[in-house]
Amino acid sequence: MKSSLLSLTLLITIASFAQPMYMTRNGQISFYSKTPMENIDAVNNEVTAMINSSTGELAFAVLIKSFRFERALMEEHFNENYMESDKFPKATFSGKITNPGNVNFNTNGNYPVSVEGELTIHGVKKSITSTGTINISGSKVTTLSTFLVRLADYNISIPALVADKISETVEVKVNCEYQPKK
Amino acid sequence: MKPGILWTILAALVMVSAIAFWLYNKPHRTAEQRPFVSLSATELFKAFESDEISANENYLDKIIEVHGEVDEVTIDMDKNTVVIFKSDDPIFGIRCTLEANNTHIKPGDTIHLKGICKGFLSDVVLTDCIYLKH
């Protein structure tokens, strides 16, 4: 009994060494809206993200209020009028790599991946798919992905008065550098 | 039309455009003002962990002064200094973004900061933080 317990503990220890979780609290998500009238971009450096290298599951979470715009007034409108960030303070993605066999977390390199999962913005949850790359460099893992978000899909309405300044579809870029979780 | 009315209209126009110009260029918020509340890192974390909705109502967008032991210091992608305060939780705590010139802060230090509360992910997030000498 005692030896089986010991081997179980050993197994769990080995498993957790062989299949680490990677985490970051300093991930970056930015978005870009382009119209002939005005280009708008905003950056968020406070993204928490995790990857489970054994299952290919991954999750991102971001606070709407910490997107930084060039102009304070735009930031205010984004929070108060479009994203209603008091009511919906965060956006999340949770999903998995659909081709996890393509990524070798123990060998340095650039691996193209496909990802599917659920994106929640403005309180609306939608299934999405995207492509990206995972870069392995020693113990550091970097994920990069760019995808499009249609504002109407997430019930984000743009008043007619500023409709020609804000694109109906914005480009979202995710760039996260992870370390093995302590 | 009387010249007096013309002048009034002109003055109103100038005022409106001045206000519009100021609004368009108004500066970003900073944490320079007096903090709304001063809490330990453990207290602030517990407030969000136990009841996120009411903690959001109380603290979101407010300037909060926080003190406690530094667990980790890192640098974000825009080279800002990031300080994590310890809490009761083994992994998560208070995550604070400061300007790049705060490299003197080291893990194990007990410090005070104030910043703008942005909400709760796995950590409570404060941005635009200012280091306070106590």
Side-chain angles (χ1 to χ4, degrees), chain A residues 23 25-26 28 38 45-46 61-63 65 68-73 75-76 90 175 181-182, chain B residues 23-28 52 61 72 74 76-78 91-92 95 97 118 120-121 123 125 128:
Chain A
M23 189 183 126
R25 295 148 138 158
N26 296 348
Q28 188 177 70
E38 194 158 25
N45 287 309
E46 282 91 19
V62 63
L63 290 164
K65 285 183 187 289
R68 179 49 69 100
F69 290 68
E70 192 192 334
R71 295 195 181 278
L73 188 67
E75 202 171 296
E76 203 175 291
K90 46 189 134 178
N175 179 8
K181 199 168 145 193
K182 279 189 282 183
Chain B
L23 274 176
Y24 189 64
N25 289 297
K26 77 172 183 176
H28 280 278
E52 189 181 343
D61 277 329
E72 195 182 295
T74 54
D76 75 11
M77 288 191 175
D78 280 342
I91 300 167
F92 299 108
R95 183 204 179 284
T97 312
K118 300 290 182 173
F120 186 58
L121 293 173
D123 303 293
V125 175
D128 304 272

Side-chain angles (χ1 to χ4, degrees), chain A residues 147-158:
Chain A
F147 55 94
L148 297 174
V149 168
R150 218 177 127 246
L151 300 185
D153 287 348
Y154 297 88
N155 296 343
I156 302 163
S157 46
I158 304 299

Side-chain angles (χ1 to χ4, degrees), chain B residues 29 31 33-40 44 48 55 58-67 94 113-118 124-126 129-130 132:
Chain B
R29 240 186 112 201
Q33 288 146 299
R34 249 180 65 143
F36 167 74
V37 68
S38 174
L39 295 168
S40 75
L44 182 59
F48 275 93
N58 289 335
Y59 301 129
L60 224 48
D61 277 329
K62 300 269 186 0
I63 297 169
I64 296 180
E65 182 178 331
V66 61
H67 57 93
I94 315 294
L113 297 177
K114 61 174 179 174
I116 305 171
C117 183
K118 300 290 182 173
V124 180
V125 175
L126 305 185
C129 292
I130 299 171
L132 299 169

Side-chain angles (χ1 to χ4, degrees), chain B residues 1-6 9:
Chain B
M1 215 187 306
K2 283 182 194 164
I5 296 172
L6 259 176
I9 292 170

Side-chain angles (χ1 to χ4, degrees), chain A residues 115-180:
Chain A
V115 171
E116 65 177 23
E118 284 175 327
L119 179 65
T120 306
I121 304 175
H122 194 233
V124 179
K125 191 191 267 188
K126 292 262 171 204
S127 291
I128 65 158
T129 57
S130 179
T131 55
T133 57
I134 294 189
N135 179 279
I136 311 291
S137 173
S139 66
K140 196 175 83 181
V141 172
T142 308
T143 59
L144 272 173
S145 179
T146 304
F147 55 94
L148 297 174
V149 168
R150 218 177 127 246
L151 300 185
D153 287 348
Y154 297 88
N155 296 343
I156 302 163
S157 46
I158 304 299
L161 191 66
V162 292
D164 53 353
K165 291 186 180 170
I166 299 171
S167 159
E168 286 175 18
T169 302
V170 299
E171 187 184 279
V172 178
K173 196 172 152 189
V174 184
N175 179 8
C176 295
E177 265 182 38
Y178 309 73
Q179 299 288 344

